[in-house]
Amino acid sequence: MKTLPENSRVAQFFTASFCAASIFLASIFLNGCAAGPNYKRPAVNVPSVYRGVAEDEAAKTAAASLGEQKWWEVFQDQQLQQLIRTALAQNFDTRIAATRVLEAQAQVGITRADQFPTVNGVGTGTNLRSAAQGPIPSFGYTYGRIIASAAWDIDFWGKYRRATEAARADLLATEWARREVNATLVASVAAAYFQLRELDLELDISKRALASRKESLDLTKTLEEHGINTILDVRQAEQLVFTASAGITDLERRIAQQEDLLSILAGNNPGPISPRGKELTEQPHAPAVPAGLPSALLGRRPDIRQSEQFLVAANARIGVARAAYFPDISLTAAPGFQSSALQSLFNGSSGLWTFAGTVSQPIFNAGKLRSNVRLAEAQQQEAVLTYQQTIQGAFRDVSDALIAYQKNQEFRAQEELLANSAQDAAQLSEMRYKAGTTNYLEVLTNETNYLSANLGLAQAHLNELLALVQIYKALGGGWEQ
């Protein structure tokens, strides 16, 4: 049997030794414990029921929640649904948030790569010729070299694994941030659309009031020409007309600006919103909404989930800081070939190699490592408090929205009674004026009150719908597509 050259056998020995050592250390690295504490969700004070839930509803609180419904099930106006779809596809905030997710994914790949060996290959070729100098004849020299180098910083203490854990948590936090952006956008578009429809309703009320007041002004002028009324009555009737006209001009300005806002939310240049959908008073909404169990809010709200992932990342970085106390173990190897002739480049006698192991242990750094651990622990405690604060704020959001929805419904019912009463008073004063039993000041007063009551009723309808949007957003709805 042909015997391998001595240097080839040595190369094989060292190569096998490197592979065996790598496999052994890899098994320890993969199965060993990482430095630092494992994540455990901190305790939070969760109420048994939301404040603002009606007493008859509190006793039969179910797990179902308005926040679990898709946004197109909550907002049933088709024109509003189209605006929301366009916004989710084109809005710059949602697109920026999606790009940040891609950035976080790339960062996970960069951080995770530190756990594995790096391998590089280098090939060189050299041809050297020296000219003759006196008695020294000219000579030439040619050689080629191919070397593969490998280096591995063994993650014996879990430093890189903890860093990867933190990067993955940051990725999840970024994903939940994207969902929070989507939920906020859905709520913003819905609120802006309802505000636009409320302005449309105010404009319609004002135009009808202007038409009625113009008729009243014509009648007042006719009576003044026949000596029945005074010029003062004419001036008072003109005030009603001019007030309504000025209000219409202002409403048209506000409508155009609201359309611009909706256009920008939808990712379009400023422009009109057409066609319109349901009237403000026809927007479907239940008299009571299911809030669900408060404990379910922790897994539902994107901002809570995002805050928890920041906590997971901060917890993992404690392990990164603590691992710096322990030795760094690294292996390097550089096998290759070198020869002056291409045909003999890969012969056994042309082989060369380098194999080394390094252990580095911190000895003195003026307390830097200890301070890094304290910094990581303080940041983790800050993340815990932020997480608990976010949960507490979420419970308040739901409670405030439920109270607002209930009280706005009661307020709207009273505004309806006020509007009906003001309408009756305006009609009676108009009849009394035409019969000559009162002056126009009474008509002026009651017409003004009637217009104000109608505009107040429109605002009450809007506030009720805005509270519904607030409840849906507070319960974590809107991010599921």
Side-chain angles (χ1 to χ4, degrees):
M1 177 180 291
K2 184 178 181 180
T3 304
L4 291 174
E6 180 65 23
N7 58 355
S8 180
R9 291 198 301 271
V10 173
Q12 288 184 346
F13 170 75
F14 276 104
T15 301
S17 299
F18 176 76
C19 294
S22 300
I23 294 172
F24 172 71
L25 291 174
S27 64
I28 297 177
F29 145 65
L30 292 174
N31 298 314
C33 295
N38 292 324
Y39 173 73
K40 182 179 179 181
R41 178 178 290 179
V44 293
N45 183 15
V46 179
S48 59
V49 66
Y50 294 111
R51 183 188 179 190
V53 176
E55 294 182 0
D56 56 337
E57 294 290 332
K60 54 181 180 180
T61 300
S65 170
L66 178 70
E68 297 174 358
Q69 298 183 25
K70 304 296 190 296
W71 58 261
W72 56 87
E73 297 173 346
V74 178
F75 308 120
Q76 300 178 18
D77 187 316
Q78 293 185 356
Q79 177 61 15
L80 173 57
Q81 291 177 356
Q82 182 58 41
L83 286 170
I84 292 175
R85 290 190 183 95
T86 303
L88 290 172
Q90 300 182 177
N91 182 270
F92 282 102
D93 287 336
T94 61
R95 292 159 65 184
I96 291 172
T99 303
R100 287 173 179 163
V101 173
L102 298 179
E103 294 174 8
Q105 289 175 343
Q107 187 60 51
V108 170
I110 294 172
T111 304
R112 184 173 177 268
D114 290 334
Q115 300 181 45
F116 302 95
T118 59
V119 179
N120 298 294
V122 178
T124 60
T126 302
N127 182 272
L128 174 65
R129 178 175 177 80
S130 177
Q133 296 182 4
I136 302 175
S138 63
F139 66 91
Y141 180 72
T142 301
Y143 77 93
R145 171 183 288 187
I146 295 179
I147 296 178
S149 62
W152 190 13
D153 192 357
I154 304 297
D155 192 20
F156 192 81
W157 315 110
K159 175 175 65 175
Y160 297 132
R161 279 174 286 159
R162 288 300 190 190
T164 302
E165 180 184 346
R168 286 191 175 124
D170 287 335
L171 169 60
L172 290 176
T174 306
E175 173 60 28
W176 282 111
R178 182 189 67 83
R179 297 179 184 184
E180 173 68 12
V181 169
N182 287 347
T184 301
L185 180 62
V186 169
S188 298
V189 172
Y193 180 76
F194 290 147
Q195 289 169 341
L196 177 62
R197 297 306 284 138
E198 191 273 337
L199 292 173
D200 290 338
L201 179 57
E202 284 194 26
L203 182 61
D204 181 63
I205 292 171
S206 298
K207 286 183 175 180
R208 284 189 278 111
L210 177 61
S212 175
R213 290 177 178 185
K214 283 183 176 180
E215 292 179 0
S216 181
L217 175 60
D218 292 339
L219 175 61
T220 303
K221 286 181 177 180
T222 301
L223 295 176
E224 189 272 333
E225 290 173 356
H226 290 81
I228 300 175
N229 284 348
T230 64
I231 191 64
L232 178 60
D233 294 327
V234 175
R235 295 293 178 262
Q236 290 173 336
E238 288 175 343
Q239 292 176 31
L240 290 178
V241 172
F242 298 152
T243 301
S245 297
I248 289 173
T249 301
D250 186 62
L251 283 170
E252 290 173 343
R253 172 190 63 81
R254 294 167 61 190
I255 287 173
Q257 292 176 341
Q258 191 68 20
E259 288 179 325
D260 288 348
L261 171 61
L262 264 174
S263 297
I264 294 300
L265 287 175
N268 299 320
N269 290 325
I273 302 298
S274 180
R276 299 287 205 266
K278 296 179 182 293
E279 298 288 341
L280 183 74
T281 55
E282 297 175 355
Q283 296 291 335
H285 58 286
V289 296
L293 298 174
S295 58
L297 195 65
L298 275 63
R300 181 75 201 168
R301 290 246 315 203
D303 58 338
I304 295 178
R305 300 294 296 273
Q306 178 190 12
S307 181
E308 183 177 15
Q309 291 304 319
F310 283 144
L311 173 58
V312 173
N315 187 81
R317 290 189 177 101
I318 294 178
V320 176
R322 288 184 180 177
Y325 277 115
F326 304 106
D328 282 337
I329 303 173
S330 60
L331 300 176
T332 59
F337 298 91
Q338 178 176 315
S339 174
S340 59
L342 179 61
Q343 61 270 20
S344 61
L345 179 61
F346 296 102
N347 291 342
S349 59
S350 300
L352 57 88
W353 65 88
T354 301
F355 176 78
T358 305
V359 178
S360 174
Q361 170 65 51
I363 297 177
F364 176 76
N365 47 46
K368 180 179 180 180
L369 298 182
R370 181 174 63 253
S371 296
N372 281 335
V373 172
R374 290 176 177 176
L375 173 62
E377 290 174 342
Q379 290 173 338
Q380 189 263 357
Q381 287 300 311
E382 179 186 357
V384 169
L385 296 174
T386 302
Y387 174 64
Q388 294 172 336
Q389 182 185 45
T390 303
I391 293 174
Q392 196 173 72
F395 290 144
R396 180 191 172 183
D397 290 344
V398 176
S399 177
D400 288 351
L402 291 170
I403 293 171
Y405 191 61
Q406 178 184 352
K407 295 305 178 182
N408 280 329
Q409 285 180 325
E410 297 174 4
F411 182 80
R412 186 254 307 154
Q414 294 300 315
E415 286 291 303
E416 288 177 346
L417 296 176
L418 175 61
N420 292 334
S421 178
Q423 181 183 20
D424 192 38
Q427 291 174 348
L428 290 174
S429 62
E430 184 73 17
M431 293 171 58
R432 282 163 51 84
Y433 173 72
K434 291 179 179 179
T437 58
T438 186
N439 57 26
Y440 199 77
L441 180 60
E442 180 179 307
V443 177
L444 174 66
T445 301
N446 286 288
E447 283 287 341
T448 301
N449 292 340
Y450 178 45
L451 178 60
S452 297
N454 272 336
L455 296 178
L457 179 58
Q459 185 66 43
H461 279 290
L462 172 63
N463 291 338
E464 187 176 349
L465 290 172
L466 292 180
L468 176 66
V469 175
Q470 184 183 4
I471 291 176
Y472 186 56
K473 173 67 168 57
L475 289 173
W479 57 265
E480 287 187 330
Q481 307 305 318

